[in-house]
Amino acid sequence: MTGPSAETKMQFLYALRSKGVTDKAVLNAMEEIDRGPFVRGIFAERAYEDMPLPIACGQTISQPSVVGLMTQALQVQPRDKVLEVGTGSGYQAAILSKLARRVYSVDRHARLVREARAVFEQMGLVNITAMTADGSYGLPEQAPFDRIIVTAAAEDPPGPLLAQLKIGGIMVVPVGQSDTVQTLIRVRRAEDGLHYDEIRPVRFVPLLEGLGQDV
Ligand code: SAH
């Protein structure tokens, strides 16, 4: 695999910074992880543009600057155990894997999980476990988590996910109706309860119930 040219890479990182991705560790992780292998088929040549792109199962790989801003908002620490709901292409999970100790990522589409795993393996990202599951229920067998990131829009932050957040933990989730602009919310669990703040408007595919019908 050749990866992007030095110039393409510089433009990619410049676009991230100009959209507000300023955290050094996040920028380093995004410099290290090539988005190319996560974008397949006819859109592959657009992998280094700051745009969301279609992937299999009618889903999308998020816009790089949105991935950067969400990762930044999550404030991942090196010893953290992170849960991602919505593996999709696997790109977000790959970036998290450079910042956290361990990443669990679930998607309701088995095909997406299978394809993402193949890329993780090819990149040698051994601290990611990707699984097919309905992520609205979290991952009780691995809970609690230091950080939870949801990359599909829910009407409200799902209760089971809030329950699987450690004290001192942070969750980032887009909330709102699926066909309108949603708000990216950050939830912190403190000793005295949950604290919410709004980060920015975003647009994500909806968090759906149950497993996808693909095999
Ligand atoms: N983070 C991804 C983009 C995610 S797109 C990336 O970096 O490419 C949103 C994903 O959420 C889709 O793949 C969709 O299948 C998944 N999804 C939607 N509802 C879900 C649910 N209840 N449980 C798990 N995954 C879900």
Side-chain angles (χ1 to χ4, degrees):
M1 217 186 328
T2 50
S5 69
E7 192 190 347
T8 301
K9 205 163 167 176
M10 221 159 72
Q11 281 167 355
F12 181 78
L13 291 167
Y14 178 78
L16 294 177
R17 278 193 222 98
S18 69
K19 301 253 173 82
V21 184
T22 52
D23 184 291
K24 259 246 144 327
V26 174
L27 285 168
N28 286 344
M30 294 188 77
E31 185 172 359
E32 260 181 273
I33 298 292
D34 182 2
R35 190 171 182 244
F38 296 97
V39 181
R40 279 169 283 270
I42 55 167
F43 294 101
E45 64 193 41
R46 314 193 69 170
Y48 308 109
E49 293 176 30
D50 190 26
M51 294 205 333
L53 295 169
I55 56 171
C57 305
Q59 303 303 313
T60 50
I61 175 170
S62 312
Q63 185 174 348
S65 57
V66 172
V67 170
L69 291 167
M70 285 178 82
T71 308
Q72 194 166 280
L74 202 60
Q75 299 171 12
V76 181
Q77 304 300 310
R79 299 207 44 76
D80 283 353
K81 179 163 72 165
V82 182
L83 172 66
E84 179 193 26
V85 176
T87 311
S89 68
Y91 180 60
Q92 172 75 75
I95 288 163
L96 291 169
S97 80
K98 292 287 174 191
L99 299 166
R101 178 173 54 87
R102 176 111 225 129
V103 178
Y104 292 90
S105 182
V106 298
D107 203 286
R108 57 191 292 279
H109 285 290
R111 172 176 171 189
L112 294 176
V113 170
R114 210 163 49 229
E115 292 182 357
R117 272 191 199 138
V119 184
F120 300 151
E121 198 166 311
Q122 175 195 324
M123 291 186 166
L125 305 176
V126 295
N127 62 337
I128 311 176
T129 305
M131 281 175 280
T132 308
D134 180 349
S136 344
Y137 300 101
L139 201 57
E141 62 272 29
Q142 296 298 339
F145 297 95
D146 300 286
R147 300 289 186 266
I148 299 178
I149 180 169
V150 186
T151 62
E155 291 198 10
D156 291 300
L161 293 181
L162 293 172
Q164 290 174 27
L165 196 58
K166 279 187 197 171
I167 290 180
I170 299 177
M171 173 159 108
V172 170
V173 52
V175 295
Q177 304 288 334
S178 60
D179 47 359
T180 59
V181 171
Q182 306 131 8
T183 307
L184 188 64
I185 301 281
R186 175 166 48 198
V187 189
R188 296 167 192 272
R189 174 181 290 286
E191 295 278 1
D192 64 347
L194 298 167
H195 300 271
Y196 295 80
D197 63 295
E198 291 187 6
I199 297 170
R200 50 169 272 140
V202 282
R203 200 176 175 132
F204 275 85
V205 296
L207 188 72
L208 299 174
E209 276 182 32
L211 297 184
Q213 289 311 304
D214 56 310
V215 280

